[in-house]
Amino acid sequence: MKILVCVKQVYDSPDTLVFNESSGRVEFGSHTVFRMNRYDEYAVEEALRIRERITGVAVDAVSVGPDRVRKTIRRALEMGADHGIHIRTGCETDLDPLERAHLIASLARGRRYDLILTGVMAEDDMQSQVGGLLAGILGFTCATGIISLEMHGNPREILLEREIEGGRRECLTLGFPCVLTIQSGINTPRYPSLSHVLRARSEELELIEAPSPAPSPPLLSVKRFLLPEEGEKGEIITGTPGEKAARLLSILREHSLL
Amino acid sequence: MIETRCYVIALHDNGRVAEETYETAAFARRYVAADPCVVVLSGGGEIEPLAGRLADRTGLTVIGLAGDIVREYCAEAYTASLISFLRKKGNAFVCIPHTARGIDFAPQLSVGIGACCITAVEGAGEGTFIRSVYSGRFRSEVRPETPSAVLTVMPGAFKPEKGAMQGPGSVKIVPLRAFELSTKTRGTREAVHANMTLSRAEVVVSAGRGLGSAENLRLVEMLSGIFPKSAIGATRGVCDLGWLDYSHQIGTTGNTVAPRLYLACGISGAVQHVSGMKNSQLIVAINTDPDASIFRTAHFGIVEDLKVFIPLLVDMYREKHGDGDA
Ligand SMILES: Cc1cc2nc3c(=O)[nH]c(=O)nc-3n(C[C@H](O)[C@H](O)[C@H](O)COP(=O)(O)OP(=O)(O)OC[C@H]3O[C@@H](n4cnc5c(N)ncnc54)[C@H](O)[C@@H]3O)c2cc1C
Ligand SMILES: Nc1ncnc2c1ncn2[C@@H]1O[C@H](COP(=O)(O)O)[C@@H](O)[C@H]1O
């Protein structure tokens, strides 16, 4: 069985992003640190657990992006993935989800993956789309928000639970090939072991250049970025820490909470 | 207004229409087309009452796609059935609630009908749609460059219209073709994490990843200790780290609470968290980051390190009130 895990590199913390007023774009500040999208760590871990339970499973990890994303592919190898693939794009900014999905799909098409895993959502663009788009392009079935996954023996199908509102779960069985988007909490992602870290260091990443410009024009254009809408903003309590604490206590007392 | 053909996909569970369907219909009427059609998929027995209820409440034309294949929700059956229905209709905007089910089939559907896909829409401009990006820190305004689009509409972002203005809409039932599915649905399981203590508490003190470590949970416990009838809540992030078990989780995929006081400690304010606590009577947030989204939900915000501020607050309370049983 062949598994492809899609891993996206995202900023570690959104407070390092800066809004460039003149261009209307959001840029990475000089202190921005990058890491693997949290939900993708759960996807990598789940792929590795499948490999541990079933013989003859190979796990590839792929990321689409500029050269810096190689570190995130390496992280997947350090966790234990067998092979890393970098689909290199020229630009620092993110492609739209469909372009990313097309790039991953054109890789997957020739390689006969039985199972493709993605995270349930990327923390940066929050689209929750790439998995479903991949399924649509490749003609695979798809289930999202997977919180439990079981396979037995020489599997022809997978038992799944997907999480819906209020923590309820939908139970289903899927045949292969399929795309699953993995929800956090399905497992506890492992910390890379020293032996895997050493092996990953000597492992070559496969490099695929994304065609530029993209073969089909994007279906979407981003007009501009905006700051969040100013709601009826609450009051920020100011002063020294002591003054803030005193004010908060008096507010709580006014509301008869203390 | 875009003035194109427009379809709103209704979602339902156990014979009940999801409220988000009405919000999505209101969005569609306001920003996409004056007279969208509502499409509902279900099995033979259930389709007529569902379609009737939708027509009564929205006043819109309702098309019921009926067949055993969609008797239970199934992404594969929804996608294929909607693709074959929509392909005959030409260019259209399709609006779907951004719920766990809506987002489960929307992207595949967009590929199948050659549309662009815009998820979690929470606003609209002149032919553009607005959605949150970068952990909610910014919004982006996007424009579809295709004549067809699939939009998923954020729950809570638009208010449903009050009652049908023009009387009940008409209903048309269209039978669906059966086909072989690779998916087998096996029903739903109730939440394992429902927590009565949380839903009954008058005060909920909630922990976020900003706690830094499981040891710092004692700070949240200490703070909760000064209130009678209080309980401890958490973000999914905290539960994923194993600092608290999932019965404490608050948000879309956890518990929903509306206590008299909600104290958010080290919580960024992701929409999925906020939707589970935004109806609390008084919301106070403590966060080191002055730009954290939680300050847009909170009535009172305190920009401080919780490791310093919580002990200070509790000490000050105890000095005034004596040690008591706190
Ligand atoms: C389908 C789906 C469903 C989800 N359902 C839920 C749900 O039901 N509930 C839920 O909570 N989440 C849910 N999430 C996850 C959600 O998107 C966020 O990732 C999560 O809520 C973030 O948790 P957090 O605020 O604890 O962590 P973070 O976002 O990491 O925020 C930590 C905050 O702590 C602050 N901080 C750091 N240090 C300190 C300090 N010393 N003192 C004070 N503040 C500090 C930081 O400034 C930051 O704002 C869901 C996500 C998806 C995709
Ligand atoms: N540039 C990328 N490279 C690899 N995988 C990606 C990329 N973008 C998105 N994905 C995958 O798709 C999931 C959902 O992303 P999104 O649709 O952007 O929210 C992520 O969790 C990743 O698994």
Side-chain angles (χ1 to χ4, degrees), chain A residues 236-237 244, chain B residues 285-291 295 301-305:
Chain A
I236 299 287
I237 298 175
K244 292 178 188 174
Chain B
I286 307 169
N287 196 307
T288 38
D289 176 2
D291 296 324
F295 290 132
I302 288 163
V303 182
E304 287 291 339
D305 182 340

Side-chain angles (χ1 to χ4, degrees), chain B residues 34-58:
Chain B
D35 59 342
C37 279
V38 178
V39 178
V40 57
L41 300 88
S42 188
E46 212 184 47
I47 193 83
E48 304 222 349
L50 274 173
R53 219 166 309 137
L54 282 160
D56 281 351
R57 184 151 160 206
T58 62

Side-chain angles (χ1 to χ4, degrees), chain B residues 100-130:
Chain B
R101 282 182 179 168
I103 194 59
D104 193 39
F105 66 89
Q108 296 93 295
L109 176 63
S110 75
V111 173
I113 62 170
C116 69
C117 185
I118 307 176
T119 56
V121 171
E122 54 182 46
E126 287 295 315
T128 60
F129 299 97
I130 296 169

Side-chain angles (χ1 to χ4, degrees), chain A residues 38-39 120-121 183, chain B residues 208-210 234-238 249-254 266-270 272-273 286-289 292 304-307:
Chain A
R38 218 166 261 142
Y39 300 99
V120 72
M121 177 179 95
Q183 173 62 297
Chain B
R209 297 174 65 106
T235 62
R236 187 177 187 107
V238 161
Q249 185 192 316
I250 289 168
T252 40
T253 51
I267 293 176
S268 60
Q272 295 93 350
H273 183 76
I286 307 169
N287 196 307
T288 38
D289 176 2
E304 287 291 339
D305 182 340
L306 62 86
K307 294 194 283 297

Side-chain angles (χ1 to χ4, degrees), chain A residues 124 144 166 170 184 221 224, chain B residues 101 104 134 141 145 240 252:
Chain A
D124 53 1
T144 58
E170 243 172 48
S184 65
S221 59
R224 56 178 175 157
Chain B
R101 282 182 179 168
D104 193 39
Y134 301 124
E141 188 174 4
E145 301 293 350
D240 287 341
T252 40

